[in-house]
Amino acid sequence: MNELKITLPDNSTRIVEKGYTPQDVANDIGPGLARSVVVAKVNESLKDLNIPFTEDCHLELLTAETPEGHNTLLHSAAHLMAQAVKFYWPEAKLTIGPAIDNRFYYDFDVKETFTDDDLVKIDSKMHELSKEDYPCIRCEISRKEAYTLFEKMGEDYKLEILEDIEDEELLTSYSQGDFIDLCRGPHVPSTGKIKYFKLLSTSGAYWRGNENNKMLQRIYGTVFHSKKALKKYLFLLEEAKKRDHRKLGKELKLFTFDDEVGSGLPLWLPNGTVMIEELETLAKDTERKAYYDQVRTPHLTKGSLYEKSGHLEHYKDSMYPAMDIDGTEYYVKPMNCPHHHKIYASSPKSYRDLPVRLSEYGTCYRYEKSGQLFGLMRVRSLQMNDAHIYCTKEQFKEEFLAVCNMYLYYFKIFGIEKYSMRLSLHSKEGLGKKYVNEPQLWEKTERWVREALIEGKFDFVEVVGEAAFYGPKIDVQVWSAIGKEFTLATNQVDFAVPKKFNLTYKDENGDDQTPLCIHRAPLGTHERFIGFLIEHFGGNFPLWLAPIQVVVLPVSDKVIAYSEKVVSFLRDLNIRVKLNDRPDKIGSKIRQAEIDKINIMLIVGEKEESNLSVSIRRRFDGDMGKLSLNDLKNLLVSEISNRRLTHS
RNA sequence: GCCUGCGUAGCUCAGUAGGUAGAGCACUUCCUUGGUAAGGAAGAGGUCACCGGUUCAAAUCCGGUCGUAGGCUCCA
């Protein structure tokens, strides 16, 4: 049989001779596709374009505009970069060079570190190598051949990688010019396909991501199918920097850090404090409606409490060291749970009392290592929107789902659409170490959580080895403006600690039972949540959340008295209003208000004074004409009390 | 914690064959009373992050500390 049947995505078929390759098919279809195709999908698996067909198959020809094609291009660009690095640093040892979200990197073991000048040098060498258009040649090799080859080349890391590859797996190498790498592929057919790239940054990175291993030199870069797409990506990176909460936090005077206070310890300025207060008000309203009770607990606690809870054992390194008080060790609290357990235990409980929902906006302190600190997203003093729900097994599902739905309720208020729910599970290897050694309980609670999520129709992904030490959890992941991933909110099941604290309730038969505990923080920490909101809104907060809601701008000194009346009228309505009575022109005052991202500007002159009105100008909308004070009141009060989203 | 940058006025930044500092904005005062993104003038403001070293002389060179940026590792 010398003929094969190739089925294309539109279900059309082509009969080709044996020896035909995906690239040949692309050439037959047209020169445009022949040029832009980077990789083939043959019966659902990705293959190089120049591997001949061996059987009848489905074929999809992918350009770098598709996610999988882009991935292949990124990966090939990593090889091209490695080739350029090897040209200048022949002694550099290769490790790994994968594609990641819109970028690629390659880790090298080199004596010196790469400088910005080196990047320029490597970049231009890459362009040369691209112009040479070396074919990327795939070669199947035996384990022994691979071992001999890479040993001869002195590529120690490749030898280590070889040892980890399963015996039966097919080994392949890829070469282009005089560069050769152990790689599974697939790759673009030749280096000429890699044209529109830019090297972005360098950094250190541990071999195999283990901090006990040697630190390697990493170079990040990006590549796209067109110059336009590359420029667009670089532009987006620049735009993202403008939304960075650290930059906006300074510009909008929300928070600050001071060397003499200490790193990771934010000082909340008046504007930022307003936002915290608004968040707490929202949380209190929401929790009151959901039958939570608020509690308060101290910042200091004896070490024995954390020994009992297991926190000292699991998190001692990230707790502030103990202070000796009259011979007893005390710690500043890194979390509120043990205190809430003690509140639960302060009086006997019946099944009729459950669920018990205790909430607190407590400040905790965690000794995050210096390198982990990141603006408001990772801090050492944090205010948690915390609560613990104690319930029976029968109540668990409903309570758990109610918490998940509370997330969604909040997300709707803030217009948060891009997030991902992660079901974080334990790992078998971690039992007795990272995780409490209760294999059956783990299985059982993980099943409950999974079932609850499915029943509640939540989309989620499961990740092994990300659970809390006492149980599985749901983490809501979001991304900061500059692309860092963060856990914004968390919902955790605890089947272990209530037992350690001897928490009980009497069931219908008068027997003691241990409640389950749900730890939840839908608004995470105020620090991180506000950091996220700053970037989410780009500093243009909805009116209810804005530190300064309204600014009154008198056209001249003649109307200052009337302006002050407008201000006190609004202040009496609990609206956060400021008066700009500086002797500047109105244009200058408007400009200042725009820079401060103030939502509503009220322009007041003699015309307005004559009929007790104001001229309203809204950010993004411009001049919106005159309004009577009463209409103004209705507009503002309705928008604020409904927590309306004014703009995205 | 680790790797590599960086740290000059409140903010954004200039300032190298080492010779004790400059701009714009902001701030203060005065003039201007102006209608939807910058009116004008004058003034004040810095132990060049901190500590130590080299030197006749250090913002500049070297070492350390602290802070910060990009990553790595970690995150109850």
Side-chain angles (χ1 to χ4, degrees), chain A residues 490-613:
Chain A
T490 179
N491 185 9
Q492 311 169 353
V493 193
D494 182 349
F495 57 77
V497 185
K499 197 154 81 181
K500 287 191 196 165
F501 275 71
N502 286 323
L503 302 186
T504 59
Y505 64 91
K506 288 262 191 265
D507 68 9
E508 292 92 327
N509 304 316
D511 295 330
D512 281 339
Q513 299 287 347
T514 307
L516 281 166
C517 178
I518 296 173
H519 305 232
R520 41 112 282 175
L523 301 179
T525 69
H526 292 330
E527 285 72 14
R528 185 174 293 179
F529 204 81
I530 287 178
F532 173 78
L533 287 180
I534 292 168
E535 302 192 354
H536 174 66
F537 290 116
N540 299 307
F541 303 112
L543 197 59
W544 70 271
L545 194 58
I548 298 165
Q549 293 170 315
V550 177
V551 64
V552 176
L553 309 178
V555 172
S556 79
D557 284 0
K558 291 175 191 153
V559 285
I560 289 217
Y562 175 62
S563 301
E564 281 168 348
K565 273 186 203 152
V566 173
V567 167
S568 72
F569 171 74
L570 294 175
R571 198 165 283 275
D572 287 346
L573 296 168
N574 245 334
I575 287 166
R576 296 185 288 269
V577 55
K578 288 239 156 115
L579 173 68
N580 184 346
D581 57 359
R582 299 173 61 100
D584 297 329
K585 286 194 171 180
I586 192 69
S588 165
K589 292 182 189 182
I590 288 170
R591 183 183 134 82
Q592 193 51 53
E594 291 281 352
I595 288 169
D596 293 340
K597 299 190 194 290
I598 290 166
N599 202 311
I600 291 179
M601 290 160 242
L602 299 179
I603 289 139
V604 171
E606 288 173 289
K607 286 180 236 164
E608 286 77 8
E609 182 172 17
S610 67
N611 61 359
L612 299 182
S613 67

Side-chain angles (χ1 to χ4, degrees), chain A residues 131-345:
Chain A
K131 282 211 188 76
E132 294 287 334
D133 200 16
Y134 294 107
C136 303
I137 301 160
R138 176 178 181 273
C139 185
E140 294 179 8
I141 48 175
S142 72
R143 181 166 292 267
K144 199 174 158 198
E145 287 167 333
Y147 202 88
T148 317
L149 175 67
F150 289 107
E151 189 176 36
K152 200 171 117 201
M153 292 163 62
E155 296 289 0
D156 309 339
Y157 294 88
K158 293 292 170 187
L159 298 179
E160 214 179 310
I161 291 167
L162 269 174
E163 279 166 25
D164 278 8
I165 300 176
E166 300 284 335
D167 279 347
E168 60 271 20
E169 203 172 314
L170 177 69
L171 295 176
T172 52
S173 70
Y174 278 80
S175 61
Q176 52 204 50
D178 54 4
F179 174 79
I180 184 160
D181 198 357
L182 177 73
C183 184
R184 193 179 284 128
H187 279 285
V188 299
S190 68
T191 58
K193 293 253 182 188
I194 310 159
K195 275 191 190 142
Y196 309 107
F197 54 82
K198 182 170 171 55
L199 300 185
L200 299 169
S201 59
T202 60
S203 82
Y206 298 109
W207 166 233
R208 299 206 147 163
N210 184 330
E211 62 183 325
N212 299 317
N213 286 348
K214 182 160 186 188
M215 183 146 286
L216 308 167
Q217 290 293 313
R218 175 173 295 181
I219 303 177
Y220 285 95
T222 189
V223 62
F224 282 87
H225 66 275
S226 68
K227 193 171 186 174
K228 203 173 155 190
L230 174 65
K231 277 181 91 168
K232 188 178 160 198
Y233 178 73
L234 297 175
F235 176 74
L236 286 177
L237 287 184
E238 288 307 309
E239 285 299 295
K241 281 186 194 158
K242 293 184 191 163
R243 297 174 83 96
D244 191 317
H245 76 278
R246 294 166 297 184
K247 179 175 152 66
L248 285 173
K250 197 180 275 179
E251 289 171 2
L252 301 177
K253 297 191 171 64
L254 299 174
F255 62 91
T256 189
F257 290 94
D258 188 287
D259 286 6
E260 288 192 286
V261 174
S263 60
L265 303 169
L267 297 172
W268 286 98
L269 304 175
N271 286 349
T273 306
V274 165
M275 294 182 68
I276 291 187
E277 297 280 343
E278 285 294 344
L279 283 188
E280 287 196 359
T281 303
L282 170 64
K284 283 175 192 169
D285 285 353
T286 308
E287 286 164 7
R288 192 178 54 244
K289 286 180 196 150
Y291 296 93
Y292 284 60
D293 293 310
Q294 261 189 263
V295 296
R296 286 176 185 260
T297 62
H299 289 209
L300 281 181
T301 289
K302 286 184 186 168
S304 50
L305 187 70
Y306 294 122
E307 259 162 43
K308 190 182 222 174
S309 68
H311 286 101
L312 262 183
E313 180 191 342
H314 289 277
Y315 300 110
K316 185 162 189 178
D317 285 349
S318 40
M319 285 167 68
Y320 277 94
M323 57 193 102
D324 183 303
I325 298 175
D326 297 336
T328 305
E329 286 197 331
Y330 279 75
Y331 288 87
V332 288
K333 69 172 169 184
M335 87 301 295
N336 305 304
C337 347
H339 296 87
H340 291 187
H341 296 340
K342 284 296 187 189
I343 287 174
Y344 178 96

Side-chain angles (χ1 to χ4, degrees), chain A residues 1 94 125 343 373 411 474 489 557 576:
Chain A
M1 210 180 84
L94 300 173
K125 179 47 90 178
I343 287 174
L373 299 173
F411 288 5
I474 303 296
D557 284 0
R576 296 185 288 269

Side-chain angles (χ1 to χ4, degrees), chain A residues 440-492:
Chain A
Q440 276 116 21
L441 282 174
W442 276 106
E443 290 286 320
K444 196 161 71 179
T445 41
E446 287 177 358
R447 200 172 62 238
W448 288 346
V449 174
R450 193 181 291 115
E451 281 168 10
L453 284 171
I454 291 168
E455 195 181 309
K457 296 193 171 60
F458 287 95
D459 282 331
F460 64 96
V461 290
E462 301 198 10
V463 186
V464 170
E466 291 288 335
F469 76 85
Y470 44 64
K473 58 177 179 170
I474 303 296
D475 288 323
V476 181
Q477 303 301 109
V478 295
W479 291 266
S480 79
I482 56 171
K484 249 181 209 271
E485 185 178 345
F486 286 94
T487 301
L488 191 63
T490 179
N491 185 9
Q492 311 169 353

